[in-house]
Amino acid sequence: MCKAPMVEPAENKKKPPRRAQHILRYASCKDVAMYAAAFVTVMVSGLNQPAQLIIFGNLLDSFNTADTAEAVKLVHFFALMYAVVGIQQLITITLQTALATRVAAAQARRCREKYFAAVLSRPISWFDQSDQGAVGASVLESTLAIQDGLGEKLTTALQGVFAFVFGLAVSLYYAWSLALVSVGALPIVVVLLGLASKVASRANAKAA
């Protein structure tokens, strides 16, 4: 994607790399470490919403305490826990976005450098036959898509996946029967959301 179009002999052609295995193919050791740290913070952020539900449930249970002084103490404790969880979420989301965006920008820059080096290695006749403006615009668009996909969008998607998995585990632990009923209705919800998305995309296409 990031290299200039080159015509190679059939015997020298290699199979294109799998994208999932080469998501950080141009990353340095520092970039890999930063992305691993971003992945850890994404997991912590995914745990945040189930933790909030647990704290809220305990907060509601504290109102049923017979001793008023003990109930007030519990309410203050869980309110403090809410504040701690909120601060934790602010810190982890900031870190995961900053780290992933930094690595994604470095990947996009190295892709452009590889393309530029490949262009310089081409013969003069290639420049006469190719539309350099179109090729350059295509590479810029592709690298921006790589940067966008490896950055905030990927971390947000992973955070949602982790929140779902951890939330499902918590719900199975506290109320497994209600959790199983909800999981059984999940495919219906997914189908309805998919149909709604298709209808909205068709309406936008017709409007355009």
Side-chain angles (χ1 to χ4, degrees):
M1 174 183 283
C2 300
K3 295 183 178 179
M6 300 173 65
V7 179
E8 300 179 354
E11 62 272 14
N12 294 332
K13 287 186 177 180
K14 298 180 180 180
K15 294 182 179 180
R18 298 180 180 179
R19 296 179 182 178
Q21 297 178 355
H22 294 76
I23 189 172
L24 296 176
R25 62 183 305 181
Y26 299 127
S28 62
C29 294
K30 181 181 178 181
D31 291 337
V32 173
M34 291 175 64
Y35 218 71
F39 186 80
V40 173
T41 56
V42 166
M43 291 184 63
V44 176
S45 299
L47 278 168
N48 184 274
Q49 187 172 2
Q52 289 185 29
L53 295 177
I54 294 173
I55 294 172
F56 184 71
N58 291 328
L59 178 62
L60 293 180
D61 291 339
S62 64
F63 288 106
N64 296 327
T65 306
D67 188 357
T68 304
E70 183 67 19
V72 172
K73 187 183 298 185
L74 289 174
V75 168
H76 288 169
F77 172 75
F78 289 119
L80 178 62
M81 292 297 296
Y82 247 122
V84 171
V85 168
I87 295 173
Q88 168 263 307
Q89 186 75 336
L90 176 64
I91 294 173
T92 52
I93 288 181
T94 302
L95 285 176
Q96 74 187 37
T97 304
L99 292 173
T101 303
R102 166 68 178 80
V103 176
Q107 293 292 287
R109 186 186 71 250
R110 293 192 184 101
C111 284
R112 297 187 188 104
E113 291 173 352
K114 293 286 185 180
Y115 168 77
F116 184 67
V119 168
L120 292 180
S121 65
R122 301 303 298 164
I124 299 299
S125 59
W126 183 82
F127 293 92
D128 296 333
Q129 299 172 0
S130 303
D131 185 356
Q132 298 305 308
V135 174
S138 175
V139 171
L140 179 60
E141 182 181 353
S142 299
T143 53
L144 288 177
I146 293 173
Q147 181 175 346
D148 195 21
L150 288 178
E152 185 178 0
K153 285 187 176 181
L154 181 59
T155 56
T156 302
L158 288 177
Q159 180 182 337
V161 172
F162 283 125
F164 173 77
V165 173
F166 294 142
L168 180 60
V170 169
S171 61
L172 288 173
Y173 177 78
Y174 282 95
W176 62 269
S177 57
L178 181 59
L180 291 178
V181 172
S182 301
V183 170
L186 187 61
I188 301 175
V189 176
V190 171
V191 170
L192 292 177
L193 290 176
L195 292 176
S197 177
K198 286 186 177 181
V199 171
S201 61
R202 288 178 181 176
N204 292 332
K206 290 181 179 180

